[in-house]
Amino acid sequence: MTEAAHKLDLKGDATLQTIEGMKREILAALEKAPRVEASIDGVKEFDLTFVQLLLSAQKTAAAKGKTFEVVSLPNIYLVRMAEELGIPRPEGVGDNWPW
Amino acid sequence: MDALRAVFKEEALELLTELEDGLLELEEDPSNMDVVGRIFRAIHTIKGSGGMFGYNAVSEFAHDVESVLDRIRNGKLTADKGIISLTLECRDMLDTMIDVEENLTDEMTAKRDSLLLRLKAVGGQKAEAVAEPPRPTPKPVEAPAEDKLKAGSDGKLKIYRVRFTPGPNSLKDGCDPQAILKELKNVGECKITTRVSSLPLLDELDPTLSHLSWNIIISTTSEVSDISDAFIFMDSQANLKIEKIDDEDIPGDEPAPRLGDILKDRGEVDHAAMAAAELKREPIGQYLAKCGVVTPEQVEEALVEQEVIRDQRDRRKVNTTSVRVAAEKLDYLVDMVGELVIAQARLTQISLKRNDSEVMSIAEEVERLTAELRDSTLGIRMVPIGTTFGRFRRLVRDLGGELNKMAELETEGADTEMDKTVIEQLGDPLVHIIRNSIDHGIEHPDERRAAGKPESGTVKLSAYHGGGCVIITIQDDGAGLNPEKIRRKAIEKGLIMPDAEISDRELFQYVFGAGFSTAEKVSNVSGRGVGMDVVKRAIDQLRGNITIDSVKGKGTTITIRLPLTLAIIEGLLVKVSEENYVMPLQVVEECVDLTEKDLAAAHGHHVAHVRDELVPYVRMREWFAVEGEKPPIEQLVITTNDGERFGFVVDKVVGQHQTVIKNLGVMYRDVRGLSGATILGDGTVALILDARGLAQAVADG
């Protein structure tokens, strides 16, 4: 039986000033469970550091044989930012890219 | 730049038509990947050219549409009715954005934003709705888009490779790569790829530092300095490299550089590694990545570069095989050829008078060359009528939905060529007719079922050449016209007497009268009696004619006959006293003598007995009040129109004459029976007769 996914509800701002805290949250969640399902619906403000963090989280999970997935509905501003930056779809990330 | 923008607009409208046609085709056959490829290319070109010519909002919006089409192309999305409708709406939005030069009203902006959200919903996840999203931290206000052809630019399209790595502390220093890249998009069409390979794993990640770098391939007419201007706010530790990799001086048929050469040029492989890779049977990129000589990201970047160069060179190749010319220039050319035809006719006439064999031989040569020049010039203006069919397909689809009817458009003869001017002026009348066919002709599905017809009605639009003209028919299998109703209406309006004996075909012609509508309900589609008279007038102006055939319960067929060109006609030159007249040859059936004996046999009536048939006629001398004595034997020129024969009595038939049509001035515009004038070889003026109009005028008294 597969282990239930760890639900991670990311909230508040995800900007240069606050991103370190969010990184710790994700890191802790990834240590706890093999599969993390993160919701970003509660994120109020974000900048490029947030995109870097999500990419790194996915890369880290993959390196550890785990899964980090964003399960929120597509966020138009995040989609737009990823497109404008030419962010590639990470390996293994399916239809929900870029979240 | 205005001229370039005008070219873009013209090209974009063609592409939007192609997009619309493709989408409607895809709706019928959602698995047709050729059509998907075609519509993808259309939107891709709009996006690219839009960006190049300063239509940035158009380019961005087209990009979002392209993303959806890309998912269809990759089989991740099915082109169902909803997606097709959404994409058609987006196509209309692009049309509006280009039309208003991106100066959208609030209402338009709201509509565009709502379309964007719907696009994102289908472009991203399967979810129907899009959550109210958190917004990114506001960025510094973006500098306004500048004209891309800056002073100092040579106006040639070039491709640059831009490599940009912000310094590690750039984010803390307030450098915003997103704003820079956005600014760069104002310079030209950009293909952006991000390198994420240097991004550390979470445990080693300092998320406040910058870990990404960018590779941008930009197609633009601007110079290096314009590109570096976009990076003016980058941090001091950033690394920026701009290199030109292609320009218009390289011919379009030169193949794009090979992947290995690009990698070498980028400094990512050395000569030895390349030489080793070239000996392998594997694709170079794959082999080099497998050996760890380059990263998959580097291969991807080189592939993007290759694709952009190939794309641009392909476009250059196309540009060398066709030339876009302004319609006015073409019209001027046709006018000049018209004048040449007149001058040539004079030359021929004078050479005959002088009886000088040398001059005659030159005149003959000039005549031959003029004819060739005339045919090829008119040929340039000929375009297939199918170019307008696309908009009707959309019209039928949208009207069907609006009126809750099921209707399909079938087309035939899309390749039939006609003068561009005629086709342009034909669009609106055809729209009116098709609207009427669906609104009044095609019944609701339940009515059709009850009448034993298929639920979906058909409107068939055909075009073909026949008898020196183009015949267009619009045929529907709807309810047909009701002759009794039209008769009642015509009586009510005092157009016919209650006891008048009149054929259905003649009766149907009343539908073209101003304010004549038998529709009981006025819809916003048709039924106000405005339209069919406008249609008739438009067709008359094109020197064509329009008739209706209809069988109650079975359907209606509207037939339009139009001349191939508006510029030159083949005519029959006739004379009454010293006056010259030209009759369009296409309506002339035969010429017979009209003797005193024939006149006596008719007992004063204007009819001639020709081959056991009575042919009514008009004496041109009387009609146009020409002075002078009539000859003892006159000529009767018999014409046919929709099977009806009508004669014109003239003094003399001179012969066939090629006629360059000149418009009559305002004074003569309302004179019935004349469609223009022409200048003959000896400099005299001849009036061109509208045989049908004149016959009608005579009948009306």
Side-chain angles (χ1 to χ4, degrees), chain B residues 393-430:
Chain B
R393 205 168 292 136
R394 174 81 186 275
L395 179 76
V396 170
R397 177 192 189 273
D398 291 355
L399 276 182
E402 201 178 309
L403 299 165
N404 290 324
K405 292 181 179 182
M406 287 165 74
E408 276 169 31
L409 180 76
E410 277 180 20
T411 58
E412 202 178 79
D415 295 336
T416 310
E417 287 194 329
M418 276 182 90
D419 192 287
K420 184 176 170 293
T421 325
V422 180
I423 288 187
E424 277 166 4
Q425 293 176 38
L426 194 60
D428 288 344
L430 286 181

Side-chain angles (χ1 to χ4, degrees), chain A residues 14-17 19-20 23 26-27 30-31 40-49 51-53 55-57 59-60 63-64 70-89 95-97 99, chain B residues 60 63-64 67 71 76 116-117 120-121 123-127 129-139 171-172 177-178 181-182 185 192-194 196-212 214 297:
Chain A
T15 61
L16 190 72
Q17 290 73 30
I19 201 72
E20 187 60 50
K23 175 195 137 178
I26 296 175
L27 204 51
L30 271 174
E31 268 161 24
I40 58 166
D41 289 341
V43 174
K44 281 187 190 144
E45 300 281 341
F46 61 83
D47 59 18
L48 184 56
T49 60
V51 176
Q52 284 195 148
L53 181 67
L55 284 169
S56 173
K59 193 172 176 179
T60 309
K64 293 181 175 176
V70 177
V71 292
S72 311
L73 291 175
N75 173 314
I76 190 167
Y77 298 104
L78 194 56
V79 170
R80 178 65 91 188
M81 181 184 262
E83 281 176 356
E84 282 181 358
L85 290 167
I87 303 276
R89 182 192 294 259
D95 265 1
N96 61 342
W97 169 257
W99 317 291
Chain B
E60 277 178 24
H63 170 79
D64 288 308
S67 307
R71 288 174 61 79
K76 293 202 171 117
L116 268 178
L117 277 172
K120 292 297 178 196
Q125 248 176 336
K126 291 164 207 96
V130 177
E132 183 53 42
R135 288 169 180 272
T137 310
K139 297 290 181 301
L171 298 174
K172 290 179 193 161
Q178 196 184 351
L181 294 173
K182 232 175 163 179
K185 283 182 186 164
I192 302 172
T193 41
T194 316
V196 295
S197 53
S198 45
L199 190 67
L201 297 183
L202 273 182
D203 359 32
E204 293 152 21
L205 176 79
D206 179 346
T208 62
L209 298 183
S210 174
H211 302 281
L212 307 175
W214 283 271
E297 274 179 335

